[in-house]
Amino acid sequence: MSHYPYPDETGRYGAFGGRYVPETLMSALLQLEHDYLRLSRDASFQAELKYYLQQYAGRPTPLYFAERLTQYLGGPKIYLKREDLNHTGAHKINNAIGQGLLALRTGKRRVIAETGAGQHGVATATVAARFGLECTVFMGEEDMRRQALNVFRMRMLGAEVVAATSGTRTLKDATNEAIRHWVAHVDDTHYIIGSVVGPHPYPMMVRDFQRVIGDEAKAQILEQEGRLPTSVVACVGGGSNAMGIFYPFIEDEDVELIGCEAAGRGLETDYHAASIARGRPGVLHGAKTMLLQDEYGQVQPAHSISAGLDYPGIGPEHAHLAATGRATYVPVTDQEALDAFFLLSKLEGIIPALESAHAIAYLMREAKRYGSDDVVIVCLSGRGDKDVEQVAAREEEQRGPNS
Amino acid sequence: MDRIREAFQAGHKLLIPFVVAGDPDYERSLNIACAILEEGADMLEIGFPYSDPLADGPVIQAAAVRSLKQGTRLVDCLRLVRDIRARSPKPLVAFTYVNPLIQYGAERFFAELAAAGGDGVIVPDVPLEEAAEVASAAEAHGIQFVPLVAPTSGEERVRAIVRAARGFVYCVSSLGVTGERQHVSRQVRELVDLVRKHTHLPACVGFGVSRPEHVREIAEFADGIIVGSAYVRRVGDAAEAGRDPVEAVRAFTRELKQAAMGAMHPG
């Protein structure tokens, strides 16, 4: 089996990745790469990271056999990797702890972050509180409305939340604002990017901090089933939970890797976030990747019911895995995700994040193509408490208040 | 013909304003550009509007939004270069983010920019490490690839960047995105000195330069002064108030030109 060599020394994953940023940031990115590579080989850093992942975040998370969902769908044995059980309720804390420790070790007093659904913002605000770092989170004005509870949580944790009011006022614009802020404060501030996006070394670094999901899942499935899974399924916005769970399986070529993109109101409409299915190669937020854009290269607004997937790009490594065929990316609509949100709640007593519900929805649709001896791992990347209010309001709107 | 080199040989400090193509609309942006050049600007930077301008502050972002709402496409920006060229012999430099450029095709972009009478290009999100493809396509069509150096670059990067530079070197005055600032930072003089140590190309200063006194100060040590947001704000304010933006930029250009020529004295 061939060794998977990405990224190369220029930060590329085949045709994707790189560092398309203003010159002001280049020295900081080169220094960050140098510091990260040093710390990734530093035993005391790794021990400290492990300590916080276990004692603070609550790792390892269970690989839970979803027996009733398995019976109901009548397809493969379904296991859920319970990232929703992490402290702060999603996989985002894995990366936030890693980069928070990195900020400490490199003498930075301030951290900034962008956030879509608010999960990465909450994780960053949490870590900043624990490590005594100043924290500013950029969030699209539209997302602040959709995810008001997370805004309140971040402020409780001592973070400043700044509304991004440009463009579509969602994750893309929050990321623009965070990068602009970083350009002005690069001397004393570490930017904790929340997904496997952005200029090198971020996609690599975030993947490495998230691979703990896949490393654990692989050991757990071998222990519980004595075999590797048929498929590993995860939702993909920027794609950090997917990259984290895929990465340790990349060289296991018999394991199918499936990323679920947000198809919003349908791929035939303009309201989706399916950058693999409907995008073309382009540059966004410092990386060459698959991107929703018009014929002149203006970035097109994305749409998804879940703020965390509402992003017109995708991590460059996913673009590469799609181009080589090593991973498959499938569209899942808002409605399919909502159906999965309710189904998992009722059958398993687990309310998933709307993002994660996209991965469950894939199995609702495709369970029949598997046999009963197949095993599928779904990354349940986060819990759905944050979405309950939004889903309730939508239900009320559709059914009328008295139904 | 090397219009950029000729401009710097004129023996005075160059005033280089920046305007956004199609802001507030195509016709007025053409008139604004021509008025600025008539009033004595020595070179013009033409911003091609982009949906996600990472290196720009709120003023230029808003101008890009105004322009894109008018339906400005990359072909319109190239047409604007051609229309300005028909009315002025001064150097014209395109300022564009990389994504529109590569979607159009680098070869095609530079061929058409050259045919339109453009002289140079600035791509703020292409650092040295990613520049090879774009810079060589520019060179093949006689378009000068003007790189940026920043206060954070350090000597090693500055040396490598200026070696690949054509036309002039764009020195970013301070940390941060484009936008008006109160003062000229002290570190920019050191940056210009560093650039001069490693190249004979002219060094120009931009980002945050917004007042005649800034221009006067920078003219003491740099070869050219780039003024962006202060122009773009005047255009936006005038358009919003229903006034003629052409008149607003004319008066401003005369003030800045005087400052660049050292004709005004402090106090």
Side-chain angles (χ1 to χ4, degrees), chain B residues 46-87:
Chain B
I46 301 157
F48 288 26
Y50 180 49
S51 56
D52 293 78
L54 267 188
D56 284 307
V59 170
I60 294 176
Q61 287 174 47
V65 169
R66 283 196 297 271
S67 176
L68 291 172
K69 272 196 183 142
Q70 293 286 323
T72 307
R73 301 158 303 165
L74 195 138
V75 286
D76 302 311
C77 301
L78 292 168
R79 179 160 60 100
L80 183 69
V81 173
R82 197 170 59 225
D83 288 349
I84 299 170
R85 173 58 67 228
R87 290 162 60 175

Side-chain angles (χ1 to χ4, degrees), chain A residues 43 55 81 84 86 104 153 189 276 281 304 321 331 346:
Chain A
Q55 302 300 323
K81 181 57 176 163
D84 60 316
N86 280 313
L104 281 184
R153 286 168 82 194
T189 298
I276 297 285
S304 169
L321 293 175
K346 287 191 175 126

Side-chain angles (χ1 to χ4, degrees), chain B residues 159-209:
Chain B
R159 189 169 51 204
I161 291 167
V162 302
R163 195 179 300 146
R166 299 286 181 275
F168 62 94
V169 178
Y170 190 135
C171 303
V172 174
S173 72
S174 51
L175 301 187
V177 293
T178 59
E180 298 170 69
R181 316 242 205 284
Q182 297 287 325
H183 303 285
V184 176
S185 80
R186 288 213 186 90
Q187 54 195 1
V188 69
R189 191 186 285 255
E190 290 162 31
L191 182 60
V192 169
D193 288 345
L194 199 53
V195 167
R196 294 207 190 288
K197 189 173 156 192
H198 295 289
T199 182
H200 297 299
L201 283 176
C204 300
V205 171
F207 279 46
V209 185

Side-chain angles (χ1 to χ4, degrees), chain A residues 145-148 304-307 334-343 345-346 351-358 383-400 403:
Chain A
R145 186 187 64 74
R146 287 196 280 191
Q147 303 285 348
S304 169
I305 189 171
S306 66
D334 287 350
Q335 190 57 54
E336 289 176 299
L338 274 169
D339 294 344
F341 180 86
F342 287 114
L343 185 73
S345 301
K346 287 191 175 126
I351 302 174
L354 280 174
E355 289 78 9
S356 324
H358 284 72
R383 69 180 185 223
D385 308 42
K386 69 183 176 60
D387 299 314
V388 168
E389 201 181 326
Q390 187 197 353
V391 171
R394 185 184 160 113
E395 289 291 293
E396 194 164 295
E397 200 174 289
Q398 289 184 345
R399 289 182 192 161
S403 66

Side-chain angles (χ1 to χ4, degrees), chain A residues 275-314:
Chain A
S275 28
I276 297 285
R278 287 289 181 272
R280 296 196 316 279
V283 172
L284 180 67
H285 297 147
K288 193 173 275 184
T289 189
M290 294 297 281
L291 177 62
L292 299 178
Q293 56 185 320
D294 72 10
E295 65 167 312
Y296 287 104
Q298 305 292 344
V299 180
Q300 298 280 77
H303 165 85
S304 169
I305 189 171
S306 66
L309 304 185
D310 196 343
Y311 185 67
I314 187 169

